[in-house]
Amino acid sequence: MKDRYKNPEIITMLNDIKEEETAFHRLLRDTSLYENDSLLYHYNGFKSYNSLIAGNVHQFMKRDLNILHQNTPSVIDGLDDRLYLETLLTAHYKVEPTERLREIPYGYNEAFQTENYTVLEQITPLPPAFTFKEAISKEAFDSLSYGKRDQVLLSAAVMEEPNLPSYDLETLYTDTRSIEPEDAIEMRNVGLNDDGYWTTIKPENGAFVFGNPFYGMGAGEVLVTVSFKEKNFWIYTLSLNQKHIRNNGEKNIYNYPRDEFVFKIDTNHEKINLSFTPGQYDIQKIEAEYQPYEVFDRILQQQLTQASTNIEFDNNRLSMTVDPDGDEVLFVAVPYHKGWSVEVDGEKRDVQEIQSAFIGVPVYKWDEKVILTYRTPGLIPGMMLGMLSLLIIAWIMYRRKKYSS
């Protein structure tokens, strides 16, 4: 299998990116075929088997934000081109096969090309650490639409028990339109049966074609949420504008238990093409939510003023300089784990979990140097216990040898 990860073009390309930006960053290569691509090519990515991912990150990706991944607990797979999340999580680079790249996405420029790939870099990347002046509760966050959740994650600390001024949710902006199956400008191989289920007529895929209610509007993201359930709990595949999700049936232990899916499209998509494999379906909701990129630009410029500087990172240590105006919370785009400890100007502080899965550190006016250190929980007691066990075994062997002689 390792031969798959010896592509000289990819190795050279990744080395060139590392030379271009030595600071901590992540890279999106969602078109790679293998889940552990980032581990074997040695870059910070967004694709992996879940056995290698912390449970809080799993929940952040699949539940809190409902990112379009394979519908199994075992795999996480990219960010579905959602710019707010890419910026929050330091996706400073994207790698796309050149033959499949139709246009450069908003917020990115072309960095360079290789024979088969185009490397894109964020025009204005956020560093992996910056502060929040305001906060909202996790309960309030969970009540928001997916588009507004994306915005909040860049705007305010999300905490179980907020201890900062409350963030004004009225400043968030999205436009949401409900879409009914009857609104379709075209239906193919589908009809409504007497039980109220949309049913494929022939043993072929059924489809609805809707007009995109935000087509031609200013640049922005459109998140299409589809609540969708197969009557007989069969395996099915749901597709929207050439993005696909396969539900393996409720009886499959490897199937992720959800019936609501979010697909990101753009305002230049004239139509929403929703198709599905043969079956009987309860379509509970189709909803399109638009968030203009001018809102993203405003939030980004604000957070850049609160960015940390002099960030240094190695295997288990992260340090930076902060300059808070008052009581704030430092966000660090590294998953929270109880193995992290922190010192601020030599003083120990508690590490908090914010934004559902990431490191938060309380900082105050005049704070400057923040150092985070990771130590595997139980490592030192485990090593001491191991050494004691070896000593006991050695003593037992010595005694046996002594008495046998």
Side-chain angles (χ1 to χ4, degrees), residues 145-156:
S145 65
Y146 292 113
K148 289 184 177 180
R149 292 183 194 187
D150 285 6
Q151 291 182 24
V152 162
L153 288 172
L154 267 182
S155 305

Side-chain angles (χ1 to χ4, degrees), residues 189-309:
N189 190 37
V190 63
L192 191 63
N193 70 13
D194 294 338
D195 295 328
Y197 288 91
W198 291 96
T199 305
T200 50
I201 299 168
K202 301 176 183 178
E204 302 170 0
N205 285 0
F208 295 99
V209 181
F210 306 99
N212 180 355
F214 304 108
Y215 173 65
M217 297 185 70
E221 294 184 355
V222 180
L223 299 183
V224 181
T225 301
V226 182
S227 295
F228 198 84
K229 193 166 187 176
E230 209 288 321
K231 176 185 177 183
N232 299 306
F233 311 114
W234 290 347
I235 297 171
Y236 66 84
T237 298
L238 178 66
S239 302
L240 192 146
N241 288 22
Q242 299 183 336
K243 294 184 176 183
H244 314 284
I245 186 77
R246 175 185 168 90
N247 188 298
N248 295 306
E250 291 194 7
K251 295 181 180 179
N252 188 318
I253 61 171
Y254 295 106
N255 190 64
Y256 198 82
R258 60 177 171 176
D259 299 310
E260 184 170 272
F261 308 98
V262 179
F263 300 80
K264 184 261 181 180
I265 64 173
D266 295 307
T267 53
N268 60 4
H269 291 182
E270 184 177 358
K271 297 178 181 178
I272 297 173
N273 293 279
L274 180 68
S275 65
F276 37 87
T277 47
Q280 298 183 65
Y281 298 98
D282 179 13
I283 303 177
Q284 300 172 341
K285 179 176 72 174
I286 305 173
E287 192 172 81
E289 183 180 20
Y290 165 63
Q291 43 186 348
Y293 283 138
E294 63 185 37
V295 175
F296 166 81
D297 291 335
R298 172 176 55 79
I299 295 172
L300 175 61
Q301 291 307 313
Q302 173 61 39
Q303 294 312 111
L304 286 169
T305 66
Q306 296 165 216
S308 301
T309 57

Side-chain angles (χ1 to χ4, degrees), residues 354-373:
I354 67 172
Q355 312 317 78
S356 294
F358 295 91
I359 290 174
V361 178
V363 292
Y364 311 106
K365 192 174 179 64
W366 312 120
D367 283 348
E368 185 174 358
K369 189 69 173 180
V370 177
I371 299 175
L372 284 151
T373 306

